């Protein structure tokens, strides 16, 4: 787990019972995949990246990092579908920090909240971009 303190992401107001429990399980699914530190993310910063089918099961499998839309698509796919071992291989710390202000608007609320809660660098990039 990341070294920064983690807090349970609160469910949206008005949720309780089984719906809140399902959301908590969904959040935990992403929390368990997180690296200890963003410094572990040493994936490529250029070239074409081929994703395995367990991540790219419903669309593109090849992404050119030189094309901004494809780069965003790769990061979005890996954040949502990647397993713990996939994150360091396909994500790059500096590129993630650079992309985050826009990328955070393209990922689901749960993914965004889990990553920003675990890594204050991402949350601070968001505030600096605002």
């Amino acid at each position: 787990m990341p070294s920064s303190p983690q807090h349970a992401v609160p469910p949206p107001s008005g949720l309780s019972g089984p719906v809140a429990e399902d959301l908590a399980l969904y959040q935990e699914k992403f929390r368990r995949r997180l690296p200890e530190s963003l410094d572990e993310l040493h994936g490529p910063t250029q070239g074409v990246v081929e994703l395995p089918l367990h991540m790219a099961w419903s669309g593109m499998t090849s992404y050119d990092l030189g094309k901004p839309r494809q780069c965003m698509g790769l990061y979005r796919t890996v954040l949502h579908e990647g397993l713990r071992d996939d994150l360091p291989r396909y994500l790059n710390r500096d590129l993630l920090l650079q992309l985050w202000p826009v990328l955070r608007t393209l990922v689901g609320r749960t993914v965004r909240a889990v990553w920003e809660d675990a890594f204050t660098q991402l949350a601070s990039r968001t505030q600096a971009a605002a």
Side-chain angles (χ1 to χ4, degrees):
M1 292 266 126
S3 56
S4 63
Q6 290 187 355
H7 308 285
V9 178
S13 60
L15 291 184
S16 62
V19 174
E21 290 173 20
D22 286 348
L23 180 58
L25 288 172
Y26 189 60
Q27 291 167 342
E28 188 59 28
K29 173 180 105 168
F30 291 108
R31 207 173 282 118
R32 282 191 213 126
R33 298 176 184 183
L34 293 172
E36 292 289 328
S37 162
L38 292 181
D39 293 333
E40 292 179 28
L41 305 178
H42 47 76
T45 59
Q46 58 188 1
V48 176
V49 176
E50 300 284 337
L51 290 181
L53 288 177
H54 74 271
M55 280 191 284
W57 51 268
S58 70
M60 290 179 56
T61 58
S62 181
Y63 296 83
D64 183 344
L65 294 180
K67 297 181 177 180
R69 291 185 92 160
Q70 288 189 29
C71 188
M72 286 283 187
L74 170 81
Y75 273 63
R76 182 179 184 274
T77 299
V78 174
L79 288 170
H80 278 272
E81 304 296 337
L83 303 175
R84 186 175 177 89
D85 291 341
D86 295 321
L87 301 178
R89 181 175 180 190
Y90 293 102
L91 300 179
N92 177 278
R93 176 195 179 276
D94 294 337
L95 193 50
L96 177 64
L97 289 170
Q98 176 188 335
L99 296 175
W100 191 254
V102 174
L103 183 61
R104 73 181 303 274
T105 67
L106 303 175
V107 298
R109 180 183 325 172
T110 302
V111 170
R112 179 175 56 246
V114 166
W115 278 79
E116 288 182 353
D117 184 56
F119 304 111
T120 57
Q121 307 98 304
L122 294 175
S124 66
R125 297 272 310 165
T126 301
Q127 293 166 357

